[in-house]
Amino acid sequence: MRDVSIFARRRWKAAPGSLPEHQNYRPSTLSAVADALGSATDLPPTVPAKFRIIVVKPGEQLDRISLSLFGNIHMAN
């Protein structure tokens, strides 16, 4: 189960209507772990509704961007 990507686990749990094919995501390659996927409750949160896009220009460094955004150069790591 640890080798199944988070994206595949999320699709497995997704409602069929939210998927492009409008049916349950059940590829045969995951049949060996179907029971574990069905009972899994350890999905990390999805992408937040709000996020910032930062366009990095040539010559800019992550520590300088971190300093301007967070006031701390160590937040870039």
Side-chain angles (χ1 to χ4, degrees), residues 42-66:
D42 63 342
L43 292 177
T46 58
V47 176
K50 285 185 160 185
F51 57 91
R52 288 174 79 175
I53 296 175
I54 306 297
V55 178
V56 180
K57 298 175 183 80
E60 287 186 324
Q61 298 175 336
L62 288 179
D63 59 349
R64 300 286 182 201
I65 295 169
S66 178

Side-chain angles (χ1 to χ4, degrees), residues 2-61:
R2 73 171 198 267
D3 294 331
V4 178
S5 77
I6 188 63
F7 303 107
R9 290 190 277 160
R10 279 201 182 117
R11 283 180 61 85
W12 189 277
K13 292 284 193 175
S18 69
L19 299 172
E21 56 276 5
H22 298 288
Q23 60 186 23
N24 283 324
Y25 178 71
R26 301 294 185 265
S28 60
T29 53
L30 295 177
S31 62
V33 293
D35 290 340
L37 284 168
S39 62
T41 59
D42 63 342
L43 292 177
T46 58
V47 176
K50 285 185 160 185
F51 57 91
R52 288 174 79 175
I53 296 175
I54 306 297
V55 178
V56 180
K57 298 175 183 80
E60 287 186 324
Q61 298 175 336

